[in-house]
Amino acid sequence: MTHCHFPSGLTTTLSCTAAGARLTVSPSSSQFFRWDFVSLSCEEDDSSAGWTVRRNTSNKSRTQCGAGWGRSAGSSCNISYTVTWHSGVYWCESREGATSNTINITVTGGSVVLQSPVLPVMEGHDVTLTCRRKTPPSNPTADFYKDGSLIRTEPTGHMTIHHVSRSDEGLYKCLSISDGESPSSWISVTGKPTTTAPPTTTEAPPTSATSPLDSSSYQFVFTLLRHLVVFCPYCISTVLMVSLYRRRPTGNELPVSMVMTPPAQAEEGLDDDDYDDVISAVTTEHRF
């Protein structure tokens, strides 16, 4: 069960609000002339909760639709002919005590009413206020006031506030020179709903999925290996050829000779001419 503090006066709002229902009013205005028709509806998420319209007036508190005022039709309440003592604070309430938003309704015996939004206006939206007469012409030239200060005069009886902000919240009324002024109505401004960023995940991406960077790396490595396979044999053969060339003997190198030392002349009994012939015969030249 939801426990709430209920309104004790005509301008007191509820201290809690249930998300299960919202009170709307048709025509969409918070000010009415006597003998106007008004319909109040509880727009509900759960029809089994048994939502009904209740109100506080100057002489009664928390009275339910159908108990001496209005005609109940499910979760709606119709007032066929408004009178001044219908002025008050209206809201929806479930069987368990949950409550909706509240709407202040004023019924005037005068000749001018101010038509203004009955629900809070979202920041950034436009709002149009209309000063309406009871008798034709219905939209006279009118002065519009906020918190007792003149805003401007509109010859058509309409005033639009563009891109409303929190500073536009306040008590508004209009004044017709020929018919007098309207009751005051409070206009509320609500902030834009905040959007929640999606939660970020800390999980690592699957290893099987190859990113574009990995694919480029693999392609580079493959190309490098291909060039190495093609050019390595050429490089090796070039190095071998250079090495062999550098080891080739040049013309300045002397031949290596193997000379057999002949026996002494005296031992052989040879003269000088024979000795020279023998030396020439046994000397063998070997070139490496």
Side-chain angles (χ1 to χ4, degrees):
M1 177 181 293
T2 304
H3 298 282
C4 302
H5 173 70
F6 297 99
S8 58
L10 296 181
T11 59
T12 305
T13 59
L14 294 174
S15 60
C16 67
T17 300
R22 184 182 70 158
L23 178 64
T24 60
V25 59
S26 179
S28 182
S29 178
S30 59
Q31 295 184 14
F32 298 94
F33 295 116
R34 284 187 299 180
W35 319 124
D36 280 346
F37 172 82
V38 177
S39 178
L40 300 108
S41 299
C42 298
E43 296 181 350
E44 53 194 342
D45 294 334
D46 182 10
S47 58
S48 64
W51 294 94
T52 57
V53 179
R54 291 181 179 268
R55 74 179 186 183
N56 281 349
T57 60
S58 58
N59 55 1
K60 290 185 180 181
S61 299
R62 299 192 65 241
T63 56
Q64 183 175 324
C65 177
W69 65 275
R71 186 175 71 256
S72 179
S75 59
S76 299
C77 182
N78 298 321
I79 303 175
S80 299
Y81 303 100
T82 57
V83 290
T84 54
W85 55 268
H86 283 142
S87 298
V89 181
Y90 292 74
W91 72 93
C92 297
E93 185 176 330
S94 70
R95 284 191 299 264
E96 296 181 350
T99 58
S100 70
N101 60 298
T102 61
I103 293 178
N104 285 278
I105 290 179
T106 301
V107 180
T108 179
S111 300
V112 179
V113 295
L114 176 68
Q115 288 184 329
S116 61
V118 295
L119 298 175
V121 182
M122 188 174 295
E123 281 184 311
H125 288 196
D126 296 342
V127 174
T128 298
L129 307 179
T130 301
C131 196
R132 185 166 68 91
R133 293 178 57 189
K134 189 173 184 178
T135 57
S138 58
N139 300 326
T141 298
D143 299 329
F144 289 87
Y145 292 81
K146 175 180 177 288
D147 298 329
S149 299
L150 177 65
I151 303 173
R152 61 178 178 265
T153 301
E154 293 288 352
T156 60
H158 302 280
M159 183 185 75
T160 299
I161 305 173
H162 297 282
H163 310 296
V164 297
S165 63
R166 294 282 189 178
S167 62
D168 293 312
E169 253 186 1
L171 208 57
Y172 289 79
K173 68 178 181 180
C174 66
L175 173 65
S176 170
I177 297 176
S178 58
D179 295 281
E181 69 178 24
S182 70
S184 297
S185 288
W186 181 267
I187 294 180
S188 298
V189 179
T190 184
K192 293 181 179 179
T194 57
T195 56
T196 304
T200 56
T201 178
T202 57
E203 295 181 1
T207 55
S208 59
T210 304
S211 64
L213 181 60
D214 293 338
S215 178
S216 300
S217 300
Y218 291 150
Q219 185 176 4
F220 172 76
V221 172
F222 176 75
T223 303
L224 179 62
L225 290 175
R226 185 179 61 185
H227 283 78
L228 288 175
V229 169
V230 172
F231 289 104
C232 272
Y234 172 78
C235 293
I236 293 173
S237 61
T238 301
V239 171
L240 290 175
M241 291 178 65
V242 171
S243 177
L244 292 173
Y245 178 80
R246 293 184 62 183
R247 294 184 62 181
R248 183 179 63 84
T250 61
N252 295 327
E253 294 179 352
L254 294 176
V256 179
S257 299
M258 295 181 62
V259 179
M260 297 180 62
T261 304
Q265 286 180 310
E267 294 177 352
E268 296 291 334
L270 298 176
D271 57 19
D272 291 337
D273 293 334
D274 294 333
Y275 177 78
D276 291 338
D277 294 335
V278 171
I279 293 300
S280 302
V282 300
T283 301
T284 304
E285 183 179 283
H286 296 275
R287 186 182 301 268
F288 294 93

